[in-house]
Amino acid sequence: MQDLVVNTEDDPHKGQPATEPSTIELAEIILNVQDLQIGFGSKVVIEEVNLDLRKGSIVSLIGPTGSGKTTFLRSINRMNDKVSGFWTKGHITISGKEVLSPDIDLLELRRNVGMLFQRANPFPMSIRENILSGVKAHKLAKKSSHDDIVRDSLEKVGLWKAVEKRLSDSPFRLSGGQQQLLCLARSLAVQPRVLLLDEPTSALDPISVEAVENLISKLVPEITFIVVTHSLAQAKRISNHTMFFYDGKLMESGPTSKIFEDPEMPETQYYVSGRMG
Ligand SMILES: Nc1ncnc2c1ncn2[C@@H]1O[C@H](COP(=O)(O)OP(=O)(O)OP(=O)(O)O)[C@@H](O)[C@H]1O
Ligand SMILES: [Mg+2]
């Protein structure tokens, strides 16, 4: 079992770690991955992935392009299912429930495990309906509380002021950063327990990046985050645990401070020193 420590170095909220280390160490294991192997047809894309993740962690997934980060992330809420030739071996459990089981309720899984992609993907409906889409699909709330859910979700991501008078407008007129925040608000509206973020800030300007990073640190421990990033600085800033993927293998995984300052593997050392793409 791996220890999770909060890395407060480089933390923009220095002195105010999002979650106390002792809290994380005592928290329940929310995600367990055992001997996970994933492939497409005859090709093995990732193998030897093992992980115990405690509630309230912020995990960054780093590694060179093509190393398997997205494939791994998407397998946690079964987004690869429809890709032709996709197969898995091993186990992924969330709060003890086997994610890879054919019997799992996918709608329920994706309510608990939300996902945000590199490019914002608002639905072609109003800003308000975007926020309510999951709430309605899962019948999570009475109609009378919909206004409050819209407002709360948008306030959480800091968008309320900007959009309160245009809730019926299309989301596509919002800026790229605002669209990504809207998608985050839409994910939050169904109260997920885990959020998977695949390079969520790579298309954003520095101010929006900061807004998303601040938000992530405010939303733990209720939400546990797994964030793929090509920004080593971002991984250091936001995560308390780092997984380094290399050539389809989880080469090294541990507290962020350890992975960046004292890694075990030469490949990790090479990558975190910025000498590998
Ligand atoms: N549908 C597929 N069929 C065959 N191979 C695939 C498929 N999808 C992904 N792969 C391969 O799996 C490997 C891992 O891809 P993945 O997208 O997970 O990498 P990544 O680490 O997210 O890369 P990047 O940093 O560029 O986003 C790559 O070699 C990729 O070509
Ligand atoms: Mg990727």
Side-chain angles (χ1 to χ4, degrees), residues 170-190:
S170 160
F172 299 110
R173 274 179 243 137
L174 299 173
S175 72
Q178 287 174 328
Q179 289 187 28
Q180 190 65 307
L181 289 171
L182 174 69
C183 294
L184 193 51
R186 183 179 66 197
S187 304
L188 296 178
V190 296

Side-chain angles (χ1 to χ4, degrees), residues 196-211:
L196 310 172
L197 313 182
D198 197 355
E199 301 185 47
T201 60
S202 60
L204 303 185
D205 69 282
I207 291 173
S208 308
V209 172
E210 200 183 343

Side-chain angles (χ1 to χ4, degrees), residues 69-70 198-199 228 230:
K69 305 178 297 295
T70 295
D198 197 355
E199 301 185 47
V228 173
H230 276 288

Side-chain angles (χ1 to χ4, degrees), residues 40 43 45 63-72 83-84 199 230:
F40 299 98
K43 187 172 168 188
V45 169
T65 185
S67 56
K69 305 178 297 295
T70 295
T71 305
F72 171 62
V83 181
S84 69
E199 301 185 47
H230 276 288

Side-chain angles (χ1 to χ4, degrees), residues 33-38 47-51 89-91:
V33 180
Q34 259 178 329
D35 297 328
L36 183 67
Q37 201 179 52
I38 297 180
E47 57 190 340
E48 297 171 26
V49 180
N50 290 283
L51 176 74
K89 281 184 192 163
H91 302 280

